[in-house]
Amino acid sequence: MAKLYPSLLSANFLQLQEELKALEKAGVDGVHFDVMDGQFVPNISIGLPILEAVRKGTCLPIDVHLMIEEPEKYVELFAEQGADMISVHVEATPHIHRVIQQIKNANVQAGVVINPGTPVESIAPVLKMVDYVLVMTVNPGFGGQSFIQESLDKLDQLSNIKKELDLTFEVEVDGGINDETVKSVIEHGATMLVAGSYFFKQDDYQSATQILKG
Ligand code: DX5
Ligand code: ZN
């Protein structure tokens, strides 16, 4: 069964504590925390002080998705504020290998992310190091966009690499995941699902969780 990480970007920020309690009750596997810097992506979202508050408000694992330039300057800070997992974009740094080492040295699970326009080949050298690969299924920056079908080919490629090299990294998908698109990503090997706008639009988070996790 795939794990589900609702993206707090679509949560009600005025009632974050209630939202976190409702997520725990619904049985999700963790929360996805989207950090945007207005440089790497054309939007600015949430950062360290909100992470600190979320950490105090829940025991759920926190999956921090850094959509920022120069992630090497910040990964330790996000680890200190309570991240359980941190993912960095291969497009955001010339030193992806070093950043992944930094994340692991901070005793946090490490993920590498690829944009829709970035090939799987670009992360081949680090696949043995990472705990998870995040395949963006929309262009990062905003919630509520449509799923990009071509992403499924990348999931197939990653599944093949896992088999061939006997690797165990998880495959996470992020963007446009809903009750319809979820079936195909799971069929193509996704093991971790991020869902923002679809999930938080539902009145009943428990049934939304069941629908997405299958
Ligand atoms: C997009 C973010 C996503 C976003 C997903 O840049 O990385 O995590 O919140 O939102 P939906 O599920 O609405 O596409
Ligand atoms: Zn994300």
Side-chain angles (χ1 to χ4, degrees):
M1 189 187 277
K3 294 179 190 147
L4 177 64
Y5 294 76
S7 165
L8 291 183
L9 202 56
S10 294
N12 181 347
F13 288 127
L14 285 177
Q15 298 183 2
L16 213 39
Q17 180 70 86
E18 287 83 354
E19 292 276 55
L20 292 168
K21 291 293 158 218
L23 293 175
E24 285 175 8
K25 212 171 146 206
V28 305
D29 297 277
V31 292
H32 185 80
F33 190 94
D34 285 306
V35 181
M36 304 178 186
D37 66 351
Q39 298 291 321
F40 181 67
V41 289
N43 198 3
I44 297 176
S45 60
I46 47 179
L48 291 161
I50 306 291
L51 177 60
E52 188 181 4
V54 170
R55 178 70 293 161
K56 287 183 186 144
T58 185
C59 298
L60 287 169
I62 305 175
D63 169 29
V64 173
H65 175 193
L66 293 181
M67 286 164 274
I68 63 174
E69 299 282 0
E70 300 187 290
E72 53 276 8
K73 288 190 182 165
Y74 303 99
V75 292
E76 281 88 2
L77 289 171
F78 282 95
E80 276 164 28
Q81 294 305 341
D84 297 283
M85 310 160 66
I86 297 177
S87 63
V88 285
H89 277 257
V90 69
E91 307 89 355
T93 172
H95 299 295
I96 191 67
H97 188 282
R98 181 186 290 154
V99 188
I100 290 166
Q101 279 179 328
Q102 278 178 262
I103 299 171
K104 293 173 83 88
N105 288 343
N107 289 320
V108 171
Q109 288 190 41
V112 64
V113 194
I114 48 173
N115 278 333
T118 303
V120 167
E121 287 75 11
S122 66
I123 53 169
V126 295
L127 286 177
K128 286 188 180 142
M129 301 168 71
V130 293
D131 298 292
Y132 61 111
V133 173
L134 169 46
V135 175
M136 287 308 299
T137 45
V138 298
N139 284 298
F142 304 93
Q145 304 180 80
S146 299
F147 179 80
I148 296 172
Q149 288 293 334
E150 290 74 19
S151 318
L152 296 175
D153 294 340
K154 291 189 193 174
L155 300 183
D156 290 342
Q157 267 182 282
L158 287 165
S159 298
N160 290 337
I161 292 171
K162 279 175 78 168
K163 265 187 227 137
E164 278 166 24
L165 301 182
D166 200 20
L167 297 175
T168 54
F169 59 80
E170 304 249 21
V171 178
E172 182 173 39
V173 285
D174 184 5
I177 302 300
N178 57 36
D179 54 341
E180 287 171 11
T181 55
V182 70
K183 293 181 192 73
S184 55
V185 293
I186 288 180
E187 273 169 22
H188 288 258
T191 58
M192 290 169 62
L193 312 164
V194 176
S197 52
Y198 169 79
F199 185 92
F200 283 98
K201 262 188 221 147
Q202 311 303 313
D203 292 328
D204 182 347
Y205 293 170
Q206 201 158 0
S207 71
T209 302
Q210 281 161 7
I211 289 167
L212 291 172
K213 282 175 72 90

